[in-house]
Amino acid sequence: MSTAASAKNGTWRNWGGNVAARPAREVTPASVDELAAAVRKAAEDGLKVKAVGTGHSFTSIAATDGVLIRPQLLTGIRTIDRDAMTVTVEAGTPLKRLNVALAREGLSLTNMGDIMEQTVSGATSTGTHGTGRESGSIAAQIKGLELVTADGSVLSCSEKENPEVFAAARIGLGALGVVTAITFAVEPVFLLTAREEPMSFDKVTSAFDELWAENEHFEFYWFPHTGSTNTKRNNRSAGPEKPVPQLQGWFEDEFLSNGVFQVAQWVGRAAPGTIPSIARISSKALSARTYTDIPYKVFTSPRRVRFVEMEYAVPREAVVETLHELKAMVDRSGLRVSFPVEVRTAPADDITLSTASGRDSAYIAVHMVKGTPYQAYFTAAERIFTAHEGRPHWGKVHTRDAEYFAGVYPRFGEFTALRDRLDPDRRFQNDYLRRVLGA
């Protein structure tokens, strides 16, 4: 299974290959009733329950030795409400299928992340996001959700119905129940013009505030061991539609960004000394380009090179200082980093454990290609991020625990109290949740 996590010989593995688990049994429910029954049966058998999507998280958030619920039969659109401008989808629907189905209906999400292999429930439960000046994460676009709780009952929540559950369950980490359906706000499909161009690290960091303010969606990639970045600005456009020509798209997005990049990673893994030279070449391989297309074709891109990732949200006003510290650390460390560092932003939101909860945020993501030792790099990066009160992405590698989170999330106690109410017996507990939420 190329996009999904794989289960061979009863062992479940995530997409990045760094997490494995052996569940006692796997259940693939075809309805909400079947899912609720599976939760009740697990309770009778004294087993923990975890739902898993495509395994795109790098943490063990979905790992269990109990019952593993796979939602691939709970897919598709339930309803489209054109008066309210919402769409309700089953939890196991991959973002890719949702995006294509919405486009066919002349609709779109306002913002999305840069990959779309994940299920809607997996992506939102871990706080998956793109970049945006005013538009937040995928979870920030949720208007309602349906949850099977520990006793097997089905709970609907929105701003009006069970609002205290709604505040937390949009990014619920799988700790409050199993999400079975999500209602998203949508809007009429629109066009985005993407402008991608190389820029020096010094220029992008000194002009960061202006670049952020002038663009609806701004992000950039810095190539370690170089002073080079590749920037991307996405802004709404009146058209006309002008997609990347097919051959050019294949060359830039598949051949360069995936094919040549994969070979460069292999070379770098075999001979780490070559990495700085490869980085200098890579940073110059992508030239400037501008294109206009519907949102999901602009926001998302294929990611075929497997990697392991750590990402932290820091207060937006601290991002430039944090990046300078990261660059200085890499320059003096002797580390060899072959993967670009990704920088994005999000506005403050009102979701209890969102990485952007209550503060305008910037995200810094560090990656290592699958199979290379990442601990030294990630540990050094994490030391810098946490010094700025960074909040790690729930689905990406980090070493933080409940005590740390209680300090960086003002509403942390609100979430744990709700969990005590909804899951007093810790039916949805696993080692990861024990660490990040406390026992």
Side-chain angles (χ1 to χ4, degrees):
M1 290 185 270
S2 58
T3 58
S6 58
K8 287 188 186 126
N9 326 322
T11 302
W12 171 84
R13 284 182 203 287
N14 69 336
W15 181 87
N18 65 318
V19 177
R22 287 186 74 92
R25 63 173 178 254
E26 284 193 20
V27 182
T28 311
S31 68
V32 176
D33 288 345
E34 279 183 25
L35 197 157
V39 171
R40 287 192 294 270
K41 176 87 171 74
E44 285 166 28
D45 298 342
L47 293 171
K48 303 291 187 195
V49 177
K50 287 270 60 125
V52 66
T54 53
H56 263 267
S57 289
F58 301 98
T59 57
S60 52
I61 191 165
T64 187
D65 56 5
V67 177
L68 192 68
I69 291 181
R70 296 172 81 81
Q72 63 252 41
L73 299 180
L74 298 172
T75 64
I77 291 178
R78 275 192 194 177
T79 52
I80 294 173
D81 182 336
R82 289 183 187 269
D83 295 327
M85 285 307 276
T86 60
V87 59
T88 301
V89 281
E90 304 276 346
T93 310
L95 284 167
K96 184 170 13 187
R97 281 184 48 195
L98 173 62
N99 286 332
V100 171
L102 287 176
R104 225 178 13 237
E105 297 287 342
L107 301 168
S108 176
L109 292 170
T110 299
N111 199 356
M112 54 194 86
D114 56 7
I115 52 175
M116 52 177 181
E117 305 300 335
Q118 314 99 310
T119 60
V120 292
S121 56
T124 54
S125 295
T126 53
T128 298
H129 61 89
T131 189
R133 187 182 57 204
E134 282 109 21
S135 51
S137 68
I138 304 177
Q141 300 168 69
I142 294 178
K143 290 293 178 197
L145 52 83
E146 183 183 83
L147 198 64
V148 170
T149 57
D151 61 3
S153 56
V154 182
L155 198 65
S156 293
C157 31
S158 64
E159 280 172 1
K160 295 190 177 71
E161 214 178 349
N162 298 302
E164 72 298 340
V165 179
F166 182 66
R170 284 171 284 169
I171 298 180
L173 317 184
L176 305 174
V178 179
V179 175
T180 49
I182 299 176
T183 301
F184 290 104
V186 290
E187 56 177 304
V189 74
F190 53 94
L191 291 174
L192 284 172
T193 292
R195 188 168 140 212
E196 299 172 12
E197 64 177 316
M199 197 180 282
S200 75
F201 180 88
D202 292 339
K203 185 174 176 192
V204 82
T205 51
S206 62
F208 182 80
D209 288 340
E210 294 91 278
L211 289 162
W212 169 82
E214 287 164 8
N215 295 283
E216 290 172 67
H217 309 273
F218 176 71
E219 65 185 299
F220 69 94
Y221 293 87
W222 163 57
F223 296 84
H225 314 297
T226 78
S228 306
T229 78
N230 200 36
T231 63
K232 184 172 180 179
R233 302 157 218 217
N234 297 331
N235 290 289
R236 294 195 183 214
S237 161
E241 212 168 305
K242 193 171 170 254
V244 178
Q246 205 168 2
L247 184 62
Q248 183 192 345
W250 174 84
F251 181 74
E252 291 167 346
D253 299 323
E254 288 292 352
F255 182 70
L256 288 180
S257 298
N258 283 299
V260 172
F261 186 59
Q262 176 74 74
V263 173
Q265 298 300 320
W266 287 333
V267 172
R269 213 163 104 185
T274 61
I275 285 173
S277 310
I278 292 172
R280 284 191 290 276
I281 297 163
S282 297
S283 69
K284 294 183 170 51
L286 295 166
S287 51
R289 65 177 185 175
T290 301
Y291 53 96
T292 302
D293 214 329
I294 61 173
Y296 83 86
K297 294 185 179 179
V298 174
F299 284 130
T300 67
S301 49
R303 291 272 192 283
R304 308 203 197 286
V305 180
R306 303 240 170 177
F307 53 83
V308 178
E309 180 178 1
M310 167 183 280
E311 180 187 71
Y312 266 75
V314 297
R316 201 186 68 236
E317 62 273 14
V319 67
V320 171
E321 186 187 343
T322 310
L323 280 166
H324 280 294
E325 290 169 19
L326 186 68
K327 186 174 190 299
M329 179 276 288
V330 170
D331 288 346
R332 66 166 187 266
S333 67
L335 289 166
R336 292 289 174 257
V337 181
S338 60
F339 231 97
V341 172
E342 185 179 23
V343 181
R344 295 176 289 174
T345 67
D349 64 39
D350 63 350
I351 304 170
T352 318
L353 290 188
S354 163
T355 43
S357 185
R359 75 180 189 196
D360 290 343
S361 300
Y363 296 95
I364 304 175
V366 296
H367 313 68
M368 279 295 225
V369 72
K370 181 182 171 182
T372 47
Y374 59 82
Q375 282 81 358
Y377 176 37
F378 284 13
T379 300
E382 190 171 42
R383 202 173 292 131
I384 292 166
F385 300 149
T386 54
H388 292 280
E389 299 200 332
R391 298 167 175 172
H393 189 302
W394 296 107
K396 296 175 186 178
V397 176
H398 68 87
T399 65
R400 302 295 90 190
D401 60 14
E403 188 185 357
Y404 179 84
F405 291 123
V408 295
Y409 283 101
R411 298 166 64 191
F412 187 75
E414 198 183 305
F415 190 96
T416 54
L418 180 66
R419 181 187 183 216
D420 289 342
R421 196 186 99 203
L422 290 179
D423 188 15
D425 301 328
R426 299 291 185 261
R427 184 66 44 221
F428 303 114
Q429 174 86 288
N430 65 2
D431 290 343
Y432 179 77
L433 292 182
R434 193 176 289 110
R435 168 162 72 92
V436 301
L437 297 176

